[in-house]
Amino acid sequence: MRIFKINGTQVTEHDALAPMAAPGACEHGYLWLSLTRDEFRTSLAQVQDVLQSLCNTHLVDLHVSDLQNDQLPSRYDYTSQYDLLVFRRLAASNGHPPGTDEPAAPKAGPTVLRRVDTRPVGFALFDRVLLSVHPKDGAVRDAFASKLLAAAAPGERGGVAAPALDVRAVSARIPASPADLMLRVVNHIVDAYLDLRRELTRQLDHWQSELIDPKSRFTNWGALMDARQSLHHLDEICEDQRACIQDWIDALETLPGPTGATAQREHELVMIRSRDVLEHIERVVHHVRRLEQNAETAVQMHFSVQSHRANDIMRVLTALTAVFLPLNLIAGIFGMNFEFIPLIHKADGFWIAMGSMGAIAVALVVIFWRKRYLARTR
């Protein structure tokens, strides 16, 4: 469990959950309560007490079940007091089947295919509290928390304290509201999908070069089929994510406009960041679908090349058979069991027959070569 209090340009991490339930704990700034799914189950009563004290409400039982569910797809829901958003992220560890935390037999094929495995991250967004429920590893939470603390800390350079940072620059790196913080975490999740698509592109490009090369014998069909299934699964995940963020944007647009310059600016920043996240997801969806089409096209081109090569072989064999057909006819005629056959009793009859057969064969080869029956297309 990690608890952060964010007030302007200051980020403070707390160890205990109980002091956060005190009145006035969230009077200035807001809180980020970040728990793993197991910690959320064991600390549910304390979390509900904190939410009741700070927000005068608590989580609905169905939403509690959603946050505890490890197989829930990306979705968005809301109440009059808070919003609920579930967003699936890539699993940090490989070899775990979806929906479980237990290791399983590793997938066959390239390592990149093992990364197409997701876990849900749940967010309960209140006015001054953000509750996030993460998988067991909490990799996304820890990575973003490190960035958040580094943005707020002045740091040191070469053992010497760095000069004071511009307050405006620090405030731009620190989320101004719980909604801004949630969207930044979601954007961090989407960036992992953007990195994954680059690895999938390199792998599929390598397979395409092998499939199109007529000299190579592609045998990794199992891994290619797994890649197509993984891309289809990734497409479904991204579609759910896009629908989730679109529902969130639609809900923001239906809310009445805030009053005051500061509130209006925060609302506009949240809308801009929401549309930016949606645009990133659409980029992933577009690229995944293009990869699916490329994989399908590569397979079709492979079989087309193989079919074309087989046609070339059959054409050459047919032309050679046509060359030897008249030769077989001549040999069959002189092999008939008759006593009186022309040239059969002459001393030079054998050489005359062989010369005729050779001349016929050469003439047919020249004719077929001129007609490109014996030429192999590239």
Side-chain angles (χ1 to χ4, degrees):
M1 178 188 306
R2 303 189 67 174
I3 306 170
F4 299 90
K5 183 177 180 181
I6 304 172
N7 182 13
T9 60
Q10 297 180 354
V11 179
T12 307
E13 184 173 2
H14 298 268
D15 298 330
L17 187 62
M20 298 296 102
C26 195
E27 184 177 357
H28 301 286
Y30 61 93
L31 292 179
W32 179 22
L33 308 179
S34 178
L35 304 89
T36 63
R37 196 159 284 109
D38 293 337
E39 293 172 345
F40 180 70
R41 293 190 184 99
T42 57
S43 306
L44 179 59
Q46 298 179 5
V47 171
Q48 294 282 41
D49 292 340
V50 171
L51 295 178
Q52 184 66 40
S53 175
L54 299 179
C55 307
N56 295 323
T57 186
H58 59 273
L59 293 173
V60 180
D61 293 339
L62 290 177
H63 290 166
V64 171
S65 300
D66 290 343
L67 293 175
Q68 294 177 352
N69 189 357
D70 195 37
Q71 300 181 5
L72 196 68
S74 300
R75 62 184 297 266
Y76 169 73
D77 197 6
Y78 63 92
T79 66
S80 60
Q81 300 294 330
Y82 64 91
D83 296 328
L84 179 75
L85 189 141
V86 178
F87 206 84
R88 296 192 70 90
R89 70 164 177 85
L90 290 173
S93 57
N94 299 328
H96 293 197
T100 62
D101 288 330
E102 297 298 330
K107 289 183 179 180
T111 307
V112 64
L113 297 181
R114 305 173 195 173
R115 292 191 57 191
V116 187
D117 182 17
T118 58
R119 300 286 186 276
V121 179
F123 299 94
L125 179 64
F126 299 84
D127 291 336
R128 288 299 165 188
V129 176
L130 175 64
L131 172 66
S132 61
V133 180
H134 299 262
K136 188 175 182 179
D137 50 59
V140 172
R141 183 265 314 271
D142 296 337
F144 190 81
S146 300
K147 292 183 179 180
L148 191 64
L149 294 173
E156 294 184 357
R157 297 177 183 175
V160 181
L165 298 175
D166 188 358
V167 175
R168 291 173 297 179
V170 175
S171 61
R173 294 194 299 266
I174 296 179
S177 64
D180 190 11
L181 174 60
M182 181 190 71
L183 291 173
R184 294 195 187 198
V185 177
V186 170
N187 195 28
H188 182 78
I189 295 174
V190 176
D191 288 343
Y193 287 92
L194 293 174
D195 296 336
L196 176 63
R197 71 170 189 172
R198 298 186 184 96
E199 298 180 21
L200 285 172
T201 301
R202 287 193 294 267
Q203 183 62 53
L204 287 177
D205 288 344
H206 173 69
W207 282 340
Q208 285 179 0
S209 62
E210 290 187 1
L211 285 169
I212 297 175
D213 187 4
K215 296 182 180 180
S216 66
R217 294 187 177 182
F218 187 81
T219 58
N220 203 8
W221 291 105
L224 181 59
M225 296 300 105
D226 290 339
R228 293 175 62 184
Q229 294 178 1
S230 299
L231 288 172
H232 183 68
H233 179 57
L234 187 60
D235 186 17
E236 293 179 347
I237 293 172
C238 294
E239 278 293 341
D240 293 338
Q241 291 176 347
R242 180 166 63 176
C244 173
I245 297 299
Q246 187 62 56
D247 292 342
W248 158 262
I249 294 176
D250 294 341
L252 288 179
E253 291 177 346
T254 57
L255 293 176
T259 58
T262 303
Q264 181 68 24
R265 182 176 180 275
E266 289 183 1
H267 179 74
E268 291 177 353
L269 289 176
V270 169
M271 289 296 299
I272 292 173
R273 192 169 294 278
S274 300
R275 288 192 291 266
D276 181 67
V277 172
L278 182 62
E279 189 269 337
H280 285 189
I281 297 174
E282 289 177 347
R283 284 169 54 193
V284 176
V285 172
H286 175 73
H287 196 80
V288 167
R289 289 180 178 175
R290 189 173 63 182
L291 288 178
E292 285 186 285
Q293 294 177 357
N294 291 343
E296 185 67 27
T297 303
V299 173
Q300 293 178 359
M301 290 181 63
H302 171 75
F303 286 109
S304 177
V305 169
Q306 296 299 324
S307 177
H308 190 68
R309 182 170 178 268
N311 290 336
D312 282 344
I313 295 173
M314 292 303 299
R315 187 177 67 251
V316 172
L317 293 177
T318 303
L320 293 177
T321 303
V323 169
F324 282 95
L325 275 177
L327 309 184
N328 291 333
L329 176 62
I330 295 175
I333 291 174
F334 281 94
M336 288 190 295
N337 204 10
F338 291 104
E339 183 178 356
F340 300 102
I341 297 178
L343 303 178
I344 197 170
H345 294 293
K346 290 187 177 181
D348 55 352
F350 171 77
W351 299 111
I352 294 174
M354 291 298 296
S356 301
M357 294 169 65
I360 294 173
V362 171
L364 289 176
V365 168
V366 171
I367 293 173
F368 290 158
W369 186 264
R370 293 288 299 272
K371 292 182 176 292
R372 301 180 62 87
Y373 292 166
L374 297 176
R376 178 173 298 178
T377 57
R378 295 184 180 274

